[in-house]
Amino acid sequence: MAEVERATAARVQTIAQSDPPQVPPQYIQPPQVRPFCCSPSAAPAAGSIPAIDLSGLDPTHRDRVRAEIGRACRDWGAFHVTNHGVPSSLLDRARAVGSSFFRDLSVDEKLAYACDPSSSAMEGYGSRMLENDDSVLDWRDYFDHHTLPLSRRDPSRWPSSPPDYREVMAEYSDRMGLLAKQLLGLISESLGLPASCIEHVVGEFYQNITVSYYPPCPQPDLTLGLQAHSDMGAITLLIQDDVGGLQVLKDREWITVEPLSDAIVVLLADQTEIMTNGIYRSAEHRAITNASRARLSIATFHDPSKARKISPVSELVSDTSPPRYHEVVYGDYVSSWYTKGPEGKRNIDALLL
Ligand SMILES: O=C(O)CCC(=O)C(=O)O
């Protein structure tokens, strides 16, 4: 098969557009990880991630916000923030340019931005999370952008259509970076640490933005849009459209994160679990599919540089509370994630002392 044909055939959107009655076998998940429910609306109604109102961070409100963030990080590792200061028009524009890229461009136009399938974590248009031959594939196409530090940002590698794509994504990156810093400050304070503590350990943010597109799926009960994982870095900020499909694991049960208009989902990632010595846990999450509507999400990952060494912060370690994780060089952590695959949280568990 010619190179381009192979790439085209691998696109989930192309498969979905041919209206197959069944998904191809490589998308069928083993029974133990299949979604219990076949549509987000059939998911358990009880329990949803907490929603925290960030408005008015003056000293009085800051105490309330800190306490709520502490509870959410301890109990869930995931929460919504509202009144976060990012204009809802920007969230809408980011969703609009993302869905226009997937919906309005032909496959050939999209393939002009294809990322190199033989190399992990590359920028561009892609379809699979892992390249291991034996891995079950996600029912998802995506576009990954390298956005911060600015030296990594090259909008000429991003879609030129719709015409405002690059401008919107750059502004979105800047605003998410600022919010991520603010949230890491509140998370530090919620542990009685100086606001800058976690941010100092992380150092300069390495930020990537992934726009995920999940076409309608003929067999949502057999597939996953994105397999279960926790994110590798420090903190992820995610928006989704009104279709829904993000699920967070809580007490061994998958809870659907109902889309909340204008809110941003905060997901603690593995390095924050290490820095907080396990007081706060990273959120294991996944995306399920549905048969009727395509879904879009935009995840913004904030990571340390590859050279950064991460360990539990000294203020949280004592004789009575010894370190629970080995120190890790972040780049080694990333390599191991891509070699072994996410499989839930296996990678971070390997660092437990
Ligand atoms: O689509 C979603 O809601 C989840 C996306 C996600 O977890 C990711 O991009 O890593």
Side-chain angles (χ1 to χ4, degrees):
M1 207 192 264
E3 204 47 49
V4 171
E5 273 179 302
R6 194 163 42 235
T8 308
R11 301 301 151 179
V12 176
Q13 193 176 4
T14 312
I15 299 169
Q17 278 165 352
S18 70
D19 259 337
Q22 295 175 329
V23 294
Q26 62 272 34
Y27 292 89
I28 298 180
Q29 295 288 339
Q32 67 277 15
V33 301
R34 288 179 196 163
F36 178 67
C37 304
C38 49
S39 84
S41 59
S48 182
I49 59 169
I52 300 176
D53 180 350
L54 293 185
S55 58
L57 284 177
D58 55 60
T60 331
H61 289 109
R62 206 168 171 94
D63 283 349
R64 170 194 56 82
V65 173
R66 269 198 294 252
E68 288 181 17
I69 285 190
R71 248 190 324 273
C73 290
R74 221 177 285 265
D75 295 348
W76 288 84
F79 51 96
H80 272 125
V81 286
T82 59
N83 294 312
H84 38 64
V86 184
S88 54
S89 56
L90 180 61
L91 306 185
D92 289 341
R93 283 160 67 217
R95 281 184 281 249
V97 295
S99 47
S100 170
F101 171 77
F102 286 99
R103 200 189 46 229
D104 301 334
L105 272 66
S106 69
V107 177
D108 280 351
E109 286 169 322
K110 287 193 278 259
L111 283 174
Y113 300 97
C115 55
D116 175 359
S118 62
S119 134
S120 54
M122 284 297 294
E123 190 166 22
Y125 172 54
S127 289
R128 51 183 71 184
M129 192 156 172
L130 294 168
E131 288 299 322
N132 301 343
D133 285 341
D134 59 350
S135 59
V136 179
L137 297 178
D138 299 317
W139 191 260
R140 171 183 87 131
D141 296 330
Y142 61 82
F143 201 109
D144 192 31
H145 313 72
H146 295 177
T147 41
L148 289 176
L150 287 175
S151 55
R152 294 172 73 234
R153 187 188 290 179
D154 179 1
S156 72
R157 299 207 196 105
W158 307 347
S160 60
S161 175
D164 55 344
Y165 191 106
R166 294 171 178 175
E167 175 202 323
V168 170
M169 217 38 89
E171 188 183 342
Y172 187 77
S173 152
D174 294 338
R175 295 302 294 249
M176 288 295 130
L178 291 174
L179 179 60
K181 273 191 209 307
Q182 193 183 19
L183 285 163
L184 287 185
L186 287 163
I187 290 169
S188 293
E189 287 183 3
S190 73
L191 288 162
L193 302 167
S196 58
C197 181
I198 292 180
E199 195 191 326
H200 271 151
V201 182
V202 176
E204 187 174 32
F205 275 158
Y206 277 63
Q207 184 200 60
N208 290 337
I209 298 182
T210 301
V211 180
S212 293
Y213 180 81
Y214 304 93
C217 176
Q219 292 178 295
D221 48 334
L222 300 184
T223 51
L224 283 172
L226 186 56
Q227 61 190 295
H229 65 285
S230 55
D231 294 335
M232 292 177 273
I235 190 166
T236 302
L237 304 181
L238 182 144
I239 59 172
Q240 52 178 339
D241 62 16
D242 63 342
V243 176
L246 172 65
Q247 295 189 323
V248 170
L249 192 65
K250 169 90 162 81
D251 302 329
R252 302 163 65 121
E253 202 185 339
W254 287 105
I255 307 291
T256 297
V257 176
E258 299 297 344
L260 192 58
S261 173
D262 300 341
I264 295 172
V265 179
V266 180
L267 296 163
L268 296 195
D270 292 345
Q271 306 314 303
T272 296
E273 178 169 327
I274 297 170
M275 289 181 280
T276 65
N277 203 23
I279 299 173
Y280 294 162
R281 305 275 294 172
S282 60
E284 198 171 334
H285 56 284
R286 68 181 186 182
I288 60 171
T289 63
N290 76 84
S292 53
R293 288 179 68 195
R295 167 173 182 261
L296 187 100
S297 74
I298 306 179
T300 308
F301 306 96
H302 299 89
D303 303 345
S305 76
K306 295 267 173 68
R308 205 81 182 168
K309 289 185 179 151
I310 305 290
S311 56
V313 302
S314 54
E315 292 91 331
L316 298 177
V317 171
S318 65
D319 288 347
T320 51
S321 176
R324 298 182 56 209
Y325 301 85
H326 286 286
E327 178 178 90
V328 68
V329 176
Y330 183 62
D332 295 344
Y333 192 80
V334 173
S335 306
S336 118
W337 197 98
Y338 278 108
T339 313
K340 292 190 289 183
E343 289 190 17
K345 296 181 61 160
R346 190 177 63 184
N347 285 301
I348 190 162
D349 290 346
L351 293 179
L352 278 169
L353 285 163

